[in-house]
Amino acid sequence: MVTAPAVEVLDDEIGVANAEAFRRLDVADPWVVDVATARDVIPGYDENLVLTSGAPMPWTEYVGGQREALIGGALFEGLAASRDEAVAKFASGAIRIGACHDYSAVGSLAGIYTASMPVFVVENRAHGNIGFCNFYEGKEPRRLNYGCYDEGVHERLLHVNTVLAPVVGEAIRRTGGVPLKSLIARALRMGDEVHSRNAAASMLFNREILPAVLDMVHDEVPGVRETMVHLAENDYFFLRLSMAAAKVTADAMAVPRSTLVSAMAFSCRGFAIKLAGLGDRWFEGPPPVHEGKLFAGHTEDEITWMGGESPITETVGLGGFAQACALTLQEYQGGSAEVMIERNRQMYDITHGESSTYRIPLFDFRGTPTAIDARKVLETGTTPVMDVGLAGRDGGQIGAGIIRAPRECFEAAMAAFEASA
């Protein structure tokens, strides 16, 4: 039997740990410093490795669009000459599958990385850790990260590798790196939440690299005009930077005895979270609860889950936790301004504190609710809300909306936490 003084000591320990984990999150200083190929910058990246979203699973458990995306990644990388060969090599282990988070990386939807793919390199200058996110494929609904692989997808991925990513990487290096925290804070004041709306952040990033781009034009660097047109036409481009910024921020939260959430992700199997005080352990539950708005010609029964790690943005107080900054999202993902505002207010009930940098004008510049506390989720019954794109069972994006993390993840996490006491 646990006595009252022992409970008080335990609560004090958790309080101290959570305060330190929150402090580390709040003072994080993410800078994008480079774009480089995965094999060159991600530690331990082998040529036969394909990364994907969510908690680690054996090949046999990947189904639907996430399985197809893994196969597409293997074909793109030349690890197999046919679909059947790729399946056989995944089954035998000749092609390895890794979880993005295990490599300090995050991936949108299926989150596919292969050795030759370019990644953003983001450095947390407050703590010295590095994180990665792969490059945006473009706004075409059929994309590898949405479970599609065909000739068009292949050509677009090649174009990213050979034209777009090298130009962006060169511009970032010439700039000396771009500070992302202050840029994101300004984007929130301009109508973004940097998960499902990145229009302002994308423009601000383009402005940051513009002097270097002009120098590159003068130096006749190939592909500059084409790359800048691509950036200007793709409002979602910045999402990969906000994800990498959130990843290096959340990774710095690791503090023993903390009940704060340090990662959220899902796979085709279900949703999962990590706690800052329990290391790399994932705690899984069923797929998230969703509501949203579908593109014309699609129906609810088409919605499927194929992975996703963009909820790392909500983990650090962005995305759905800054939804009141981006009320125009109602046109894209449905709902109403009143509902979005109320959802955002609910998140204060389940977080440790408020961001000192990311602020919501509509709430009189109150800091965004930041650092989900698993204990508060269970105490209140309120689960985290996230802004997401919705994938279809036949591949591609078919809509957008919000999801809520399942309660079961938090129950499992706190059971493990209490057992470790």
Side-chain angles (χ1 to χ4, degrees):
M1 180 176 178
V2 179
T3 64
V7 171
E8 290 176 3
V9 169
L10 180 60
D11 285 345
D12 286 346
E13 288 178 357
I14 293 172
V16 170
N18 284 350
E20 175 59 14
F22 177 82
R23 185 195 69 80
R24 292 177 67 83
L25 183 162
D26 198 45
V27 303
D29 186 18
W31 285 60
V32 59
V33 295
D34 204 357
V35 175
T37 56
R39 66 162 68 91
D40 293 333
V41 290
I42 299 181
Y45 205 106
D46 296 329
E47 293 291 330
N48 68 334
L49 176 66
V50 181
L51 298 186
T52 192
S53 293
M57 300 192 302
W59 163 247
T60 53
E61 298 209 15
Y62 289 101
V63 298
Q66 190 163 20
R67 182 183 177 94
E68 293 304 313
L70 284 163
I71 293 169
L75 294 173
F76 174 75
E77 194 62 29
L79 299 175
S82 68
R83 187 181 188 283
D84 288 344
E85 184 185 356
V87 170
K89 285 188 171 182
F90 276 121
S92 70
I95 302 176
R96 295 174 49 226
I97 301 172
C100 293
H101 273 280
D102 288 346
Y103 290 81
S104 300
V106 279
S108 176
L109 268 294
I112 301 298
Y113 286 62
T114 65
S116 70
M117 287 183 179
V119 299
F120 288 105
V121 182
V122 174
E123 176 187 18
N124 180 353
R125 294 191 172 177
H127 302 108
N129 60 306
I130 305 292
F132 310 95
C133 191
N134 50 3
F135 212 85
Y136 182 54
E137 296 175 55
K139 58 187 176 183
E140 167 64 41
R142 292 184 61 79
R143 305 194 291 274
L144 183 63
N145 71 313
Y146 273 91
C148 299
Y149 186 74
D150 54 27
E151 185 176 346
V153 173
H154 179 87
E155 290 304 315
R156 284 190 292 276
L157 290 171
L158 275 181
H159 192 63
V160 167
N161 282 16
T162 59
V163 179
L164 305 181
V167 169
V168 175
E170 176 67 13
I172 291 170
R173 290 188 294 273
R174 290 191 183 206
T175 302
V178 176
L180 297 176
K181 192 171 187 178
S182 57
L183 190 157
I184 290 170
R186 185 169 187 185
L188 297 184
R189 299 194 296 272
M190 296 170 67
D192 283 357
E193 38 75 89
V194 298
H195 187 165
S196 280
R197 191 179 192 280
N198 288 274
S202 295
M203 288 189 291
L204 290 170
F205 175 76
N206 293 348
R207 189 182 71 168
E208 288 290 324
I209 64 172
L210 181 59
V213 167
L214 294 176
D215 288 342
M216 291 163 66
V217 171
H218 179 268
D219 295 342
E220 298 184 350
V221 174
V224 174
R225 184 185 186 280
E226 184 177 356
T227 300
M228 294 310 294
V229 169
H230 173 84
L231 267 59
E233 291 178 345
N234 287 280
D235 289 346
Y236 260 93
F237 176 83
F238 190 82
L239 172 60
R240 307 308 177 87
L241 287 165
S242 65
M243 288 172 62
K247 173 61 174 168
V248 294
T249 297
D251 278 357
M253 294 172 66
V255 176
R257 306 302 302 154
S258 173
T259 59
L260 303 187
V261 174
S262 58
M264 298 192 291
F266 55 98
S267 67
C268 55
R269 183 168 69 185
F271 200 85
I273 67 169
K274 290 183 179 183
L275 295 189
L278 292 179
D280 289 330
R281 295 176 64 183
W282 285 101
F283 301 96
E284 298 187 61
V289 178
H290 74 275
E291 59 182 86
K293 181 178 179 180
L294 300 178
F295 300 155
H298 295 284
T299 56
E300 283 278 329
D301 64 331
E302 294 179 63
I303 296 174
T304 190
W305 305 109
M306 59 178 66
E309 293 175 337
S310 53
I312 194 68
T313 55
E314 278 81 7
T315 306
V316 301
L318 299 167
F321 287 60
Q323 202 172 83
C325 290
L327 298 183
T328 56
L329 275 177
Q330 62 189 290
E331 182 180 14
Y332 176 54
Q333 64 185 31
S336 68
E338 291 79 10
V339 169
M340 293 172 72
I341 291 167
E342 177 56 26
R343 280 198 203 110
N344 204 151
R345 291 193 189 280
Q346 288 177 358
M347 297 302 99
Y348 288 103
D349 296 336
I350 61 171
T351 45
H352 178 84
E354 300 175 14
S355 174
S356 63
T357 303
Y358 305 139
R359 299 182 180 276
I360 301 175
L362 189 64
F363 296 166
D364 295 324
F365 290 91
R366 185 179 182 183
T368 64
T370 302
I372 301 158
D373 188 335
R375 297 176 305 167
K376 292 183 178 182
V377 171
L378 297 181
E379 289 167 3
T380 64
T382 298
T383 52
V385 65
M386 292 150 274
D387 298 325
V388 297
L390 298 174
R393 61 170 174 253
D394 296 323
Q397 184 178 5
I398 64 169
I402 66 102
I403 60 173
R404 282 191 181 270
R407 178 183 174 89
E408 290 89 336
C409 299
F410 300 91
E411 292 173 338
M414 286 309 302
F417 185 89
E418 289 164 6
S420 70

